[in-house]
Amino acid sequence: MLGVPMSKKITFLATVCVVALAATSGYAADMAVKAPRMAPAPVAAPVYDWGGFYIGANVGWGWNNVDTTATQTTTGLVLDTASSHRSGAFGGGQIGYNWVFSPSWLLGIEGDGDWSDIKGTTDACSATGCSHTDAKVNSFATLRGRVGLIQDNFLFFVTGGAAWVHGEATRTIVSVTNPANAVLVGQAPSASGTDLGWTAGGGVDWGFARNWSAGLEYRYMQVDTSRNYVYSLSGADRSNQSTDHLHTIRATVNFHFN
């Protein structure tokens, strides 16, 4: 660049530097825009913990089919056979413990107790006369084992064990065929007792919060009962031998101490 004035040389060099800097900054900005962004690592959903102790409440509906054979107390003579039906609501509480022995299976034990309003009436006639019976299941309790299949926050289970059922009945004589027994009309002795039987069923529990679950369950209970009714004439005394078939459907809510 011989013969070019010094001021023009300086101006030319400054222009070259400005263009180079602009090109470099534009390329860097373009690289910054096009740089890939790393996606955040996925967070695993928490696994519901079914293990440990729990306590809760339940409410449900039950129905009871009863097959009865009546015998004369002193002679053992069969007087009649009959079937009756009872139904009503119940409610109570339960407590239990679950042991999770693999990711998908558990073993548990549960006990429960319920007050009951399962009741019904029966009108029956035989060769000796007619009667009216009011019967009721006052309460029942069970102690059961459970085997469950875990599917995330759902637990599908079967259960079975011992059952205790307390019931009472009042039998009123409405009419008699023998006029000599007319004194019996209107007499209404009562009988009650707690009987041991067995129960089995199944259901599903849903863990809807960290320490809470709700469930729906069906159970069948069977107990054999014996009730004696004593009247003013010993020949009218009778013993009712019954098999109670009790079905229940209940909803539960449990708090888990885990």
Side-chain angles (χ1 to χ4, degrees):
M1 300 181 65
L2 296 177
V4 179
M6 180 58 67
S7 61
K8 291 184 176 181
K9 291 180 180 181
I10 293 173
T11 301
F12 175 77
L13 291 174
T15 301
V16 171
C17 290
V18 170
V19 171
L21 288 173
T24 303
S25 62
Y27 178 76
D30 186 63
M31 288 293 290
V33 170
K34 294 182 179 180
R37 295 184 178 180
M38 299 299 292
V43 178
V47 177
Y48 193 85
D49 184 6
W50 287 103
F53 285 99
Y54 61 90
I55 189 170
N58 72 80
V59 64
W61 183 264
W63 62 100
N64 191 12
N65 300 308
V66 184
D67 300 319
T68 302
T69 299
T71 60
Q72 207 280 333
T73 303
T74 57
T75 64
L77 177 67
V78 175
L79 301 175
D80 60 64
T81 60
S83 295
S84 58
H85 178 78
R86 305 160 194 167
S87 61
F90 65 88
Q94 65 276 346
I95 186 171
Y97 182 85
N98 290 327
W99 173 50
V100 179
F101 62 89
S102 83
S104 299
W105 294 94
L106 66 74
L107 292 174
I109 185 170
E110 182 176 286
D112 58 15
D114 291 89
W115 297 108
S116 168
D117 193 39
I118 300 173
K119 59 186 178 181
T121 62
T122 305
D123 294 297
C125 293
S126 68
T128 59
C130 296
S131 66
H132 174 85
T133 302
D134 295 295
K136 180 181 178 181
V137 175
N138 292 319
S139 61
F140 55 87
T142 72
L143 181 62
R144 297 167 284 106
R146 303 205 310 168
V147 178
L149 172 64
I150 299 171
Q151 296 292 316
D152 298 324
N153 61 331
F154 285 92
L155 172 65
F156 302 89
F157 64 88
V158 293
T159 183
W164 293 264
V165 178
H166 179 80
E168 64 179 8
T170 300
R171 183 177 184 271
T172 303
I173 294 182
V174 178
S175 64
V176 295
T177 56
N178 186 350
N181 296 331
V183 67
L184 297 173
V185 176
Q187 293 189 20
S190 297
S192 62
T194 300
D195 303 283
L196 173 63
W198 60 272
T199 182
V204 58
D205 286 341
W206 167 49
F208 63 89
R210 183 177 182 274
N211 293 94
W212 292 93
S213 69
L216 187 64
E217 177 184 282
Y218 164 80
R219 280 214 316 269
Y220 169 79
M221 284 178 272
Q222 181 174 312
V223 296
D224 293 326
T225 68
S226 179
R227 301 287 186 264
N228 295 320
Y229 300 92
V230 180
Y231 295 91
S232 61
L233 298 178
S234 60
D237 294 348
R238 61 190 283 149
S239 176
N240 283 3
Q241 309 296 322
S242 303
T243 299
D244 291 13
H245 309 273
L246 179 58
H247 306 262
T248 63
I249 295 178
R250 69 174 189 170
T252 62
V253 175
N254 290 314
F255 178 80
H256 298 258
F257 298 91
N258 50 24

